Amino acid sequence: MIFLPYGRAEVPEEQRHANLETVRRVRDVVSGLVEDGRQRRRAEGLITSWSLDRDELDEAAAALGIPPLRDEEWDAINRPI
């Protein structure tokens, strides 16, 4: 817990504004991380359900105009649960 050197009513206006901006930035970052996780799980589910092999996945990535998976990513997807 963070303890302020002054009471809540005594927080200077510029400090309150800075705190609000920090909270907004943190919220945006966390929201982005959550969405990235959702997209990754969705993509992994599609790859598994469609039974794509590495070549097919690379072909799909090229068709979508995105870079192919790195070896580490492919290994993570194919790792047994």
Side-chain angles (χ1 to χ4, degrees), residues 9-56:
E10 301 168 352
V11 176
E13 180 64 30
E14 63 274 2
Q15 183 63 45
R16 264 195 308 257
H17 180 71
N19 291 347
L20 288 174
E21 288 301 314
T22 299
V23 169
R24 285 185 189 116
R25 287 195 320 265
V26 168
R27 186 177 15 196
D28 289 345
V29 168
V30 170
S31 175
L33 291 171
V34 168
E35 184 57 29
D36 287 349
R38 285 183 187 142
Q39 290 178 357
R40 178 181 170 84
R41 285 190 302 277
R42 193 174 321 139
E44 288 173 348
L46 289 173
I47 291 165
T48 302
S49 67
W50 291 346
S51 300
L52 298 179
D53 65 22
R54 181 70 185 265
D55 292 334
E56 292 168 329

